[in-house]
Amino acid sequence: MNSSPSVTEMAPLLLGCAGWSLPREHWPAFAAEGSHLQRYASRFNAVEINSSFYRPHLPKTYERWAQSVPPTFRFSVKVPRRITHELRLQRCQTALDEFLAQCLHLGEKLGCLLVQLPPSLNHEATVAGAFFEALRQRFAGDVVLEPRHGSWVAAGALLQAYRIGWVTADPVVIDAVDVWQGVRYWRLHGSPQIYHSAYGPERVAFHAQALHQSTAAGVPTWCIFDNTASGHAVADALCLLEKKP
């Protein structure tokens, strides 16, 4: 009988972009046939849906997207601004119900919910606790938080209690705190010019090291390139794809 210690199984890297738009110059790297999403999913295994932040999508739209991609593909869905920016996490049970009634139609391909907070929203333990309690009553899957007010460094214990991951953003707005490590999420917005700047091979290789350490530890790990405004996200994601072990 083998008595050797168990080895942590490497987790897959969930790699993609914010949206599945493919610049024409990169078309040869993807499948020639199918919808934009099907072609995108021929190379990447994840995508971040940002449009859900601005407007609702019909349940049948989420169902169609789920049916368009391979079994191992996963979607990250951004929580609507109605919840994060307008209601500011308060009295949002109805809005949560409406949002989840839509995006849960992704089924098992719903990999994560992304909660991005406005820079003006400071951490209030009572408000945050009530919000995450309401969310966890409705959704048991992975959730990650991208706060942008420095006071959220005090939220570590709360995020641990509700199993909320911390987004590692670039450019850095808030240094990571000691939070739940059940999921890790890199959101690369582009720097120095946010949403526009390309990372290029050298900086992609730098991020690849941290991502490899995370997946080697068996932690579900996401890397989303959000530098889409000038079309660099796809090139950087393809570059990272080549650097995966």
Side-chain angles (χ1 to χ4, degrees):
M1 183 176 180
N2 187 353
S3 60
S4 60
S6 61
V7 177
T8 301
E9 183 178 352
M10 179 175 287
L13 173 63
L14 293 162
L15 169 64
C17 304
W20 49 81
S21 177
L22 299 176
R24 182 178 294 271
E25 63 267 26
H26 297 301
W27 284 5
F30 296 86
E33 303 295 331
S35 66
H36 289 294
L37 176 57
Q38 288 172 321
R39 293 166 62 207
Y40 170 98
S42 69
R43 295 299 305 276
F44 301 132
N45 64 354
V47 74
E48 184 181 278
I49 299 176
N50 270 210
S51 54
S52 55
F53 178 76
Y54 299 100
R55 62 186 185 278
H57 297 297
L58 295 172
K60 65 181 182 181
T61 299
Y62 282 110
E63 290 176 0
R64 184 178 74 250
W65 289 339
Q67 293 165 2
S68 298
V69 296
T72 57
F73 191 96
R74 294 293 180 266
F75 293 86
S76 170
V77 185
K78 192 172 181 180
V79 170
R81 64 179 174 184
R82 170 69 178 155
I83 294 170
T84 56
H85 288 54
E86 296 173 15
L87 295 173
R88 298 173 71 83
L89 306 185
Q90 300 185 66
R91 299 179 297 279
C92 55
Q93 289 87 343
T94 299
L96 273 174
D97 287 336
E98 292 172 350
F99 168 60
L100 291 170
Q102 299 155 14
C103 71
L104 287 177
H105 282 261
L106 288 170
E108 64 182 10
K109 292 172 185 172
L110 173 55
C112 189
L113 297 181
L114 166 66
V115 182
Q116 185 191 53
L117 303 180
S120 62
L121 185 56
N122 63 302
H123 172 244
E124 295 181 31
T126 302
V127 171
F131 170 74
F132 288 121
E133 177 68 24
L135 179 57
R136 280 302 183 208
Q137 288 174 354
R138 294 161 171 79
F139 182 72
D142 285 342
V143 178
V144 295
L145 177 70
E146 184 178 10
R148 290 180 288 175
H149 189 285
S151 61
W152 283 87
V153 297
L158 179 73
L159 301 182
Q160 288 273 9
Y162 288 103
R163 310 183 319 280
I164 308 298
W166 182 275
V167 171
T168 299
D170 180 68
V172 176
V173 178
I174 309 171
D175 287 330
V177 296
D178 183 19
V179 295
W180 186 63
Q181 295 293 317
V183 60
R184 297 172 184 163
Y185 198 105
W186 273 255
R187 200 159 188 248
L188 306 180
H189 298 295
S191 60
Q193 187 178 6
I194 192 167
Y195 307 127
H196 288 272
S197 294
Y199 283 91
E202 186 172 327
R203 288 201 292 166
V204 166
F206 170 80
H207 288 294
Q209 291 181 345
L211 293 164
H212 176 66
Q213 290 174 357
S214 182
T215 58
V219 178
T221 301
W222 292 72
C223 180
I224 296 295
F225 285 93
D226 189 32
N227 53 334
T228 56
S230 295
H232 294 303
V234 170
D236 286 330
L238 287 170
C239 181
L240 180 57
L241 195 62
E242 296 174 355
K243 297 181 183 301
K244 288 174 62 177

